[in-house]
């Protein structure tokens, strides 16, 4: 599964794997793909440094990258406390009432809530980059579009390619004009923040719009057949995220989440603003239903919603309150029916890809098999 882009980066397969887990990122690169570590949860630079050190020690010299969440436009002088003060009391009460309805226990005295969505703040993302640029990363991806121009220039000065996610051809053209090297065409089926155009439609539109820039197809891809389809649409690789959530190397903190993922079908996700305030595909739960209910207060815009629900999600996850327990995941969850190693996923991808290419060659009369 090689393309011009994979050859440029020195990887065997044009499979780019986004994951929040260092062990998974390293395993993806070792298996011949390109592991990309998600950095948004690293609010402490030392934590990111620790995990990049670990990847360096376990990636066997193979290339890897980093994914940040960084706004293209700078907002001066805004602190997390400033944003917290914008959250209405009515929304805070709705969270308290919903947690009480399901009997979700409080955190222990002095126990801090878990990950808070602060990676969107430019100062946080820049501290992540200050750490990352000391490592031999080959790719910097940004989930909020094109990063600021000085970040693009800094990456290019260090021979690092820059990728940006796009949900439409219009967004992709803006990325191209901002000097981005790779556009990730992320379709409606994908987990996390997505647009409204399906991958099958979006990919060729983006390929045509930004040619000759390389495009990666994302959303609803989890088999070799789908990889072959993406490449046939003009993509130079695929960007997979959800598929890695149930691999044996993943470190999901909740066994209940893993069970729910393995049991879910492709129709068991919903595109909801409940997590961050922007539409994000995730498992449908009674938590997402509560926020999407017309009788509720409705979600707040990003980043207010993420800050509002951070402690609540920590409590739900810690105590594994299953009706409320979810995670971002794409519609490909229907194929995630068993825990497998990263290498086993790659074996399945390559086998399915080869079979599909052989089948197309037979249809085209180019093979005697």
């Amino acid at each position: 599964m090689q393309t011009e882009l994979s050859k440029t980066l020195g990887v065997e397969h044009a499979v780019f794997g986004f994951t929040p887990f260092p062990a998974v990122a390293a395993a993806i690169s070792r298996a011949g793909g390109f592991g990309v570590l998600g950095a948004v949860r690293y609010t402490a630079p030392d934590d990111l440094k620790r995990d990049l050190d670990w990847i360096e020690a376990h990636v066997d010299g193979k290339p890897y990258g980093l994914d940040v969440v960084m706004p293209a436009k700078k907002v001066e002088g805004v602190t997390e406390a400033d944003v917290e003060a914008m959250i209405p009391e009515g929304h805070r009460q709705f969270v308290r009432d919903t947690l009480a309805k399901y009997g979700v226990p409080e955190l222990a005295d002095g126990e801090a809530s878990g990950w808070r969505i602060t990676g969107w703040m430019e100062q946080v993302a820049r501290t992540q980059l200050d750490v990352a640029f000391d490592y031999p990363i080959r790719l910097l991806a940004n989930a909020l579009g094109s990063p600021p121009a000085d970040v693009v220039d800094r990456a290019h000065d260090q021979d690092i390619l820059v990728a940006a996610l796009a949900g439409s051809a219009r967004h992709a053209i803006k990325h191209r004009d901002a000097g981005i090297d790779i556009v990730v065409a992320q379709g409606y089926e994908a987990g996390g923040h997505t647009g409204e155009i399906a991958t099958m439609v979006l990919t060729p539109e983006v390929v045509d719009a930004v040619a000759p820039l390389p495009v990666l197809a994302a959303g609803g891809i989890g088999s070799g057949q789908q990889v072959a389809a993406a490449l046939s649409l003009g993509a130079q690789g695929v960007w997979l995220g959800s598929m890695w959530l149930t691999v044996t190397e993943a470190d999901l903190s909740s066994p209940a989440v893993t069970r729910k993922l393995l049991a879910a079908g492709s129709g068991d996700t919903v595109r909801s603003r409940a997590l961050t305030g922007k539409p994000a595909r995730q498992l449908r739960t009674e938590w997402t239903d509560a926020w999407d209910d017309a009788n509720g207060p409705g979600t707040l815009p990003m980043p207010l919603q993420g800050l509002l629900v951070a402690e609540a999600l920590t409590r739900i996850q810690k105590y594994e309150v299953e009706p409320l327990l979810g995670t971002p995941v794409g519609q490909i969850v229907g194929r995630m029916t068993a825990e497998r190693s990263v290498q086993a996923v790659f074996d399945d991808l390559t086998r399915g890809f080869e079979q599909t290419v052989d089948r197309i060659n037979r249809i085209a009369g180019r093979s005697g098999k």
Side-chain angles (χ1 to χ4, degrees):
M1 299 187 289
Q2 277 204 335
T3 64
E4 183 179 346
L5 178 60
S6 66
K7 292 175 182 177
T8 297
L9 288 168
V11 296
E12 183 180 359
H13 304 301
V15 175
F16 294 71
F18 164 80
T19 174
F21 307 119
V24 177
I28 290 168
S29 291
R30 290 198 308 271
F34 191 98
V36 182
L37 179 67
V40 70
R41 67 192 180 98
Y42 292 99
T43 56
D46 287 347
D47 291 341
L48 178 59
K49 182 179 186 305
R50 176 201 64 216
D51 284 354
L52 289 176
D53 283 339
W54 191 95
I55 290 177
E56 275 290 300
H58 292 84
V59 81
D60 293 349
K62 302 292 180 65
Y64 63 94
L66 192 76
D67 179 279
V68 297
V69 178
M70 190 174 196
K73 296 181 179 179
K74 188 171 184 177
V75 180
E76 298 281 0
V78 177
T79 66
E80 186 176 335
D82 294 331
V83 178
E84 286 269 13
M86 301 177 190
I87 298 173
E89 177 56 30
H91 281 73
R92 295 187 187 278
Q93 187 61 49
F94 180 76
V95 170
R96 289 192 289 267
D97 291 344
T98 303
L99 296 178
K101 176 181 176 181
Y102 290 91
V104 182
E106 298 277 355
L107 296 176
D109 289 343
E111 183 178 1
S113 63
W115 171 57
R116 294 167 66 81
I117 300 174
T118 55
W120 63 272
M121 299 176 71
E122 180 167 346
Q123 61 266 36
V124 176
R126 285 188 179 275
T127 61
Q128 295 165 351
L129 294 176
D130 287 340
V131 172
F133 283 140
D134 287 336
Y135 290 81
I137 62 172
R138 294 295 311 282
L139 175 72
L140 174 65
N142 188 33
L144 283 184
S146 306
D150 68 295
V151 172
V152 176
D153 290 342
R154 186 177 176 188
H156 287 165
D157 287 345
Q158 296 188 214
D159 198 29
I160 297 169
L161 297 179
V162 181
L165 275 65
S168 69
R170 177 172 55 86
H171 292 154
I173 290 170
K174 288 183 178 181
H175 298 340
R176 179 201 63 191
D177 294 345
I180 298 303
D181 305 292
I182 301 167
V183 175
V184 181
Q186 186 179 45
Y188 174 83
E189 305 95 322
H193 296 133
T194 69
E196 298 186 3
I197 305 174
T199 305
M200 179 66 75
V201 175
L202 179 65
T203 301
E205 285 186 355
V206 172
V207 168
D208 291 344
V210 302
L213 279 187
V215 173
L216 302 178
I221 300 172
S223 70
Q225 295 93 322
Q226 291 163 321
V227 174
L231 298 189
S232 73
L233 293 173
Q236 287 205 30
V238 294
W239 177 275
L240 308 185
S242 298
M243 285 297 294
W244 316 112
L245 289 173
T246 55
V247 296
T248 53
E249 294 90 343
D251 186 25
L252 278 177
S253 58
S254 170
V257 170
T258 300
R259 290 195 302 272
K260 292 185 77 169
L261 287 170
L262 295 176
S266 57
D268 292 327
T269 69
V270 63
R271 192 164 162 268
S272 170
R273 297 177 184 268
L275 183 62
T276 68
K278 291 184 68 174
R281 187 170 296 286
Q282 54 204 282
L283 281 179
R284 182 174 182 174
T285 66
E286 293 184 33
W287 177 258
T288 62
D289 286 349
W291 282 104
D292 295 338
D293 191 327
N295 294 319
T299 57
L300 297 170
M302 188 180 193
L304 300 182
Q305 182 72 15
L307 292 173
L308 169 66
V309 303
E311 181 178 334
L313 295 179
T314 297
R315 290 165 59 186
I316 292 167
Q317 291 164 5
K318 175 178 179 179
Y319 299 109
E320 295 197 317
V321 184
E322 292 211 25
L324 305 179
L325 194 60
T327 186
V329 69
Q331 291 180 331
I332 199 65
V333 69
R335 291 188 64 93
M336 297 156 52
T337 57
E339 292 185 75
R340 300 180 292 166
S341 68
V342 167
Q343 185 61 60
V345 172
F346 268 88
D347 290 343
D348 182 61
L349 290 173
T350 54
R351 182 168 52 250
F353 180 81
E354 291 168 358
Q355 291 170 349
T356 303
V357 171
D358 286 345
R359 183 166 60 249
I360 296 300
N361 281 334
R362 288 196 300 272
I363 293 170
R366 295 175 182 153
S367 173
K369 295 182 180 179

